[in-house]
Amino acid sequence: MQMLNQFKINNKIKKSHILLIGSLLVFIGVIIISWNYFLKMREEVFSDMKISMMDVDKNTGKENKVASDVPVANNVTVSEDTDNSSNKNYEVDYSKYLGVLEIPKIGLKRGFYNTDSKYNNIQYNVTLVDGSNLPDVVGGNLILMAHSGDAYISFFAYLYRLNVGDVAYVTYNGVKYKYNIVNIYNIPKTGLARIIRDHSKTTLTMITCTKNNDYSQTIYIAERV
């Protein structure tokens, strides 16, 4: 009888060990699967906005490759701005940011860095696309992009509320430039963005994912007043 009881006890101990090891393996498996899923989603988030762009003149239809993945330092040609009526000083910490985007209608105010900064990344901020022109370049195109959605990095989450005629401001080098939105259109998320604009106008282009559509991106074209 004593041997039988000892056998039962040993059997229970073995079962407990097997159960403990099995639970541990399941736990480790869940962690591995979750981590792989996290890495996959992270890569999808950051790769969504790594797009090449074609700058298309809406009047001539001519295409010019203007940008690729960020970041690379860009050279800027500075032209004198003559539209003094729409410019004024604007207090911003310019030691930190290259410029600031502001859209009062949706309560957006966000700084952006130059393309040679490690913070010029959609993981951290509104991103300045390599090949962009800054606002003081006559006929240039300032291209900014950021994510939409519910994540903390979704700085363009409310761009979908904008309409043609709404106003955006970009502060750069102590001057506040005013832009009016003139066109909003969607493109398939294929890795290539067609920027259709009037090349005779100084332009602000904003790009983000289309609301409630995982396969589309929305482009907002604004012209400087």
Side-chain angles (χ1 to χ4, degrees):
M1 178 66 70
Q2 185 175 0
M3 292 180 63
L4 180 61
N5 291 336
Q6 185 64 38
F7 175 77
K8 290 180 179 180
I9 293 172
N10 292 339
N11 194 35
K12 288 182 180 179
I13 293 174
K14 289 181 180 179
K15 289 182 179 179
S16 298
H17 288 169
I18 293 173
L19 182 61
L20 178 61
I21 294 172
S23 300
L24 182 61
L25 291 175
V26 170
F27 179 72
I28 294 174
V30 170
I31 291 177
I32 293 174
I33 293 173
S34 301
W35 180 250
N36 289 337
Y37 177 77
F38 168 77
L39 291 178
K40 180 176 179 294
M41 293 301 296
R42 181 180 182 275
E43 179 62 26
E44 288 181 358
V45 167
F46 295 143
S47 65
D48 277 350
M49 302 303 284
K50 293 179 180 178
I51 51 180
S52 298
M53 302 183 185
M54 299 298 295
D55 195 359
V56 182
D57 192 314
K58 71 177 183 180
N59 297 316
T60 65
K62 183 178 179 181
E63 296 183 351
N64 296 296
K65 184 72 176 295
V66 298
S68 58
D69 294 348
V70 295
V72 178
N74 62 345
N75 296 320
V76 178
T77 302
V78 179
S79 300
E80 182 180 359
D81 179 75
T82 58
D83 186 10
N84 295 323
S85 61
S86 63
N87 300 334
K88 61 182 180 180
N89 291 331
Y90 189 58
E91 294 184 2
V92 177
D93 181 5
Y94 290 105
S95 64
K96 178 178 180 180
Y97 295 114
L98 175 68
V100 173
L101 171 68
E102 185 176 3
I103 306 178
K105 181 178 180 178
I106 60 175
L108 174 65
K109 183 179 180 182
R110 189 75 189 180
F112 57 89
Y113 291 86
N114 206 343
T115 52
D116 59 356
S117 170
K118 67 179 181 179
Y119 297 110
N120 186 53
N121 189 302
I122 55 174
Q123 182 181 3
Y124 308 116
N125 292 289
V126 171
T127 301
L128 174 65
V129 175
D130 179 43
S132 296
N133 305 112
L134 294 174
D136 56 357
V137 178
V138 176
N141 187 19
L142 173 65
I143 308 171
L144 301 175
M145 64 184 184
H147 284 294
S148 58
D150 300 324
Y152 74 97
I153 57 173
S154 300
F155 304 116
F156 281 176
Y158 299 111
L159 255 61
Y160 73 92
R161 296 179 179 177
L162 299 179
N163 300 304
V164 171
D166 287 335
V167 175
Y169 299 93
V170 175
T171 301
Y172 167 68
N173 204 22
V175 178
K176 186 175 182 179
Y177 298 90
K178 179 180 179 181
Y179 297 82
N180 286 338
I181 295 177
V182 297
N183 192 17
I184 302 172
Y185 60 93
N186 295 340
I187 59 171
K189 191 182 291 185
T190 62
L192 179 67
R194 291 172 60 88
I195 299 177
I196 304 172
R197 69 184 185 96
D198 185 344
H199 283 210
S200 68
K201 305 291 185 179
T202 305
T203 307
L204 165 67
T205 298
M206 296 176 289
I207 304 174
T208 192
C209 299
T210 304
K211 182 176 175 60
N212 298 326
N213 190 336
D214 294 334
Y215 305 99
S216 175
Q217 289 175 320
T218 303
I219 296 182
Y220 300 79
I221 304 294
E223 295 176 349
R224 202 180 76 189
V225 177

